[in-house]
């Protein structure tokens, strides 16, 4: 069967890449994949580098590594040539969370190489990967191991893919979609044991080890360095190691600023059944450093008693707004105390984000790589007056208070792209009791980005492979010509993505985004001209089909 990516929603027939996703890939069977057919006169490489032994070579359809480099440099500023001008929305794909494992090695390298070839053939712009603090600096303070990520960068370059690399200063494990466990560096967890107050703490004293409390951002609690200094040193070392790829292969640096890499408090942790959807979550301000800040703010406001703690009637993780005194329809969130507390709580989060992004801006200025920051799509109870889950996460967004414009303005000050989640969700598909409205939330956030003059990029919040989810993203990306998406990152690459039906939907989606968010549909049968041809990866060699 002949397929043409330029004129139809092509897909890989009988894709078997799922066989790659095993704990080991030493004895893999032949894997069926598909690639764009090389143009006449161009050499298709017989081998693709998956380690240190070979120099980077061009991906399918490219003449050589030099050609790949020229193409990267021409398209490095993908946002400015994307939706803002041509209507094109480049699509990236998140790699598995354990692409670089806790031990510092690149996992399933051959699987990754074959998957990259398939993604490139589908028209994907690039891939996103978490650059785990707990992996890179695991050996001790300022002892960095970038080698697995260097191997990944070379591999992406060889396949003609660009990279979004996330400075992941958080723990992996304990949240939605976490499929592995990667803790913070051992020397950091030792400091947590010595001083438990350097992590976020709720009203009942429960500690959360996912991320260092922002209350000690500027205090030397990490063996003589402040957390901001530690994050800055890490990013500077990254820049030094990958300076030759920044702006060409590595086109975006997403700066992690909280749990799951998002700018928020860890107010709804799933570990140990602490929180369950659609619970309101809890405020995370009870470590001694946050409490010291709250007390100082209360004294400055002339009401010292307001600094004794957070709201006493804000409920528990799994409760609903109307079950609490603080978040109910006419609750104390609208009192003078409530407004004071929410301003302080959200202000501390904004200050944290600005401190990290100021450091990142100075480090990556002039490299050609964009900076981005991820904002959580907290859509449950959006239909209530108080928007309780957003408030506990640090977004002071209520029926009467705009919460996303201050965030957007903070990002604008640092020239940072806002990356927002839940782009695939529709209101009609949400459970009625949860008062969800992801569509209204996305519209509000896009309006805030427009008002602040920043780019907005998108992600799907949950793993989705169905046509309805892709259709929603396509519609959202071009809902307003003035605030279209600059890019979209799809969550996530795994064996399900390469199942035939899912892959067919995905390739159609990528094509639609390339055409400015236009809805693309395609029947299973395709009799058009050939832009792809089938073959197999046997070991590390490609063999064309007869």
């Amino acid at each position: 069967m002949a397929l043409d990516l330029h004129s139809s929603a092509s897909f890989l027939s009988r894709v078997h890449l799922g066989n790659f996703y095993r704990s080991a890939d030493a004895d893999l069977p032949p894997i069926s994949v598909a690639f764009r057919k090389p143009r006449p006169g161009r050499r298709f490489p017989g081998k693709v580098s998956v380690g240190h032994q070979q120099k980077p070579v061009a991906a399918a359809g490219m003449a050589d590594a030099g050609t790949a480099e020229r193409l990267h440099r021409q398209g490095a500023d993908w946002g400015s040539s994307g939706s803002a001008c041509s209507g094109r929305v480049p699509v990236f794909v998140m790699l598995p969370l354990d692409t670089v494992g806790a031990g510092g090695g690149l996992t399933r390298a051959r699987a990754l190489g074959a998957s990259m070839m398939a993604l490139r053939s589908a028209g994907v712009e690039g891939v996103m990967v978490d650059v785990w603090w707990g992996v890179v600096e695991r050996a001790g303070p300022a002892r960095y191991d970038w080698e697995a990520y260097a191997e990944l960068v070379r591999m992406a370059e060889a396949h003609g893919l660009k990279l979004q690399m996330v400075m992941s200063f958080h723990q992996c494990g304990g949240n939605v979609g976490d499929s592995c466990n990667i803790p913070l560096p051992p020397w950091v967890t030792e400091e947590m044991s010595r001083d438990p107050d350097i992590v976020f703490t709720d009203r009942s004293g429960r500690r959360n080890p996912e991320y260092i409390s922002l209350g000690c951002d500027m205090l030397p609690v990490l063996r003589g360095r402040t957390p901001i200094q530690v994050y800055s040193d890490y990013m500077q070392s990254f820049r030094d190691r990958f300076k030759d790829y920044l702006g060409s292969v590595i086109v975006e640096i997403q700066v992690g600023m909280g749990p799951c890499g998002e700018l928020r408090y860890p107010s709804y942790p799933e570990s140990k059944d602490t929180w369950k959807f659609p619970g309101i979550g809890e405020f995370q301000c009870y470590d001694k450093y946050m409490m010291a800040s709250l007390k100082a703010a209360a004294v400055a406001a002339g009401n010292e008693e307001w600094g004794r703690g957070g709201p006493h009637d804000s409920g528990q993780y799994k409760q609903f707004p109307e079950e609490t005194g603080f978040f109910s329809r006419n609750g104390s969130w609208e009192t003078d105390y409530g407004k004071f507390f929410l301003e302080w709580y959200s202000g501390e989060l904004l200050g944290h984000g600005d401190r990290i992004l100021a450091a990142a801006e100075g480090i990556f200025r002039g490299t050609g790589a964009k900076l981005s920051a991820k904002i959580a799509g907290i859509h449950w109870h959006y239909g209530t007056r108080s928007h309780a889950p957003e408030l506990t996460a640090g977004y002071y967004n209520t029926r009467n208070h705009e919460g996303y414009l201050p965030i957007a303005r903070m990002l604008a000050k640092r020239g940072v792209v806002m990356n927002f989640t839940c782009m695939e969700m529709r209101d009609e598909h949400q459970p009625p009791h949860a008062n969800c409205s992801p569509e209204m939330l996305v519209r509000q956030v896009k309006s805030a980005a427009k008002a602040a003059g920043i780019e907005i990029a998108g992600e799907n919040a949950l793993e989705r492979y169905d046509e309805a989810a892709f259709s929603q993203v396509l519609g959202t990306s071009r809902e307003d010509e003035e605030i279209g998406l600059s890019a979209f990152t799809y969550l996530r690459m795994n064996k399900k993505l390469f199942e035939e039906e899912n892959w067919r939907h995905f390739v159609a989606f990528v094509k639609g985004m390339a055409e400015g968010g236009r809805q693309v549909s395609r029947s299973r049968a395709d009799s058009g001209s050939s832009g792809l041809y089938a073959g197999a990866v046997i070991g590390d060699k490609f063999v064309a089909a007869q």
Side-chain angles (χ1 to χ4, degrees), residues 18-31:
N19 293 329
F20 271 134
Y21 291 88
R22 302 186 301 182
S23 59
D25 62 351
D27 299 304
L28 294 176
I31 307 298

Side-chain angles (χ1 to χ4, degrees), residues 493-512:
M493 190 182 85
N494 56 32
K495 63 182 180 181
K496 289 184 180 179
L497 175 61
F498 295 105
E499 292 173 3
E500 183 171 321
E501 185 74 3
N502 296 339
W503 183 251
R504 186 171 65 86
H505 290 152
F506 176 74
V507 175
F509 166 71
V510 174
K511 185 176 188 295

Side-chain angles (χ1 to χ4, degrees), residues 196-250:
D197 280 288
I198 70 173
V199 301
F200 286 110
T201 308
D202 65 18
R203 188 173 57 186
S204 64
R206 186 186 287 105
R207 310 284 189 179
N208 191 318
E210 291 182 66
Y211 190 78
I212 300 293
S213 169
L214 58 85
C216 53
D217 269 358
M218 306 303 291
L219 299 174
V221 297
L222 297 178
R223 300 194 182 181
R225 291 186 295 167
T226 71
I228 297 299
Q229 287 175 327
V230 170
Y231 304 149
S232 298
D233 291 345
Y234 183 93
M235 291 188 287
Q236 183 65 58
S237 177
F238 176 89
R239 173 184 169 154
D240 293 344
R241 179 64 179 81
F242 295 102
K243 60 184 179 181
D244 293 336
Y245 297 96
L246 287 168
S248 54
V249 180
I250 304 170

Side-chain angles (χ1 to χ4, degrees), residues 56-253:
V57 297
M62 292 186 180
D64 51 33
T67 303
E69 176 70 9
R70 288 195 298 275
L71 288 175
H72 280 306
R73 295 198 180 279
Q74 290 170 359
D77 191 10
W78 48 261
S80 62
S81 62
S83 62
C85 300
S86 66
R88 175 178 176 268
V89 182
V91 175
F92 292 76
V93 176
M94 294 186 198
L95 295 181
L97 290 167
D98 64 346
T99 294
V100 175
L106 190 62
T107 61
R108 300 179 297 273
R110 294 193 318 194
L112 186 59
S115 298
M116 283 186 174
M117 284 189 277
L119 293 175
R120 184 62 176 145
S121 76
V124 167
E125 185 86 359
V127 293
M128 172 181 277
V129 66
D130 288 280
V131 184
W132 296 110
W133 181 26
V135 171
V136 173
E137 206 171 347
R138 68 188 183 280
R143 295 174 63 186
Y144 307 107
D145 176 9
W146 301 110
E147 290 314 302
Y149 290 102
E151 186 176 352
L152 178 67
V153 170
R154 291 191 293 268
M155 185 182 293
E157 182 184 40
H159 290 292
L161 293 172
K162 297 172 184 173
L163 276 166
Q164 298 170 320
M165 301 191 80
V166 185
M167 303 291 100
S168 296
F169 299 118
H170 62 283
Q171 169 188 289
C172 180
N175 280 296
V176 177
D178 285 352
S179 57
C180 62
N181 183 46
I182 300 177
L184 300 186
W187 63 272
V188 175
T189 58
E190 289 176 10
E191 295 305 308
M192 290 178 177
S193 298
R194 293 189 182 98
D195 182 3
D197 280 288
I198 70 173
V199 301
F200 286 110
T201 308
D202 65 18
R203 188 173 57 186
S204 64
R206 186 186 287 105
R207 310 284 189 179
N208 191 318
E210 291 182 66
Y211 190 78
I212 300 293
S213 169
L214 58 85
C216 53
D217 269 358
M218 306 303 291
L219 299 174
V221 297
L222 297 178
R223 300 194 182 181
R225 291 186 295 167
T226 71
I228 297 299
Q229 287 175 327
V230 170
Y231 304 149
S232 298
D233 291 345
Y234 183 93
M235 291 188 287
Q236 183 65 58
S237 177
F238 176 89
R239 173 184 169 154
D240 293 344
R241 179 64 179 81
F242 295 102
K243 60 184 179 181
D244 293 336
Y245 297 96
L246 287 168
S248 54
V249 180
I250 304 170
V251 295
E252 180 182 333
I253 304 297

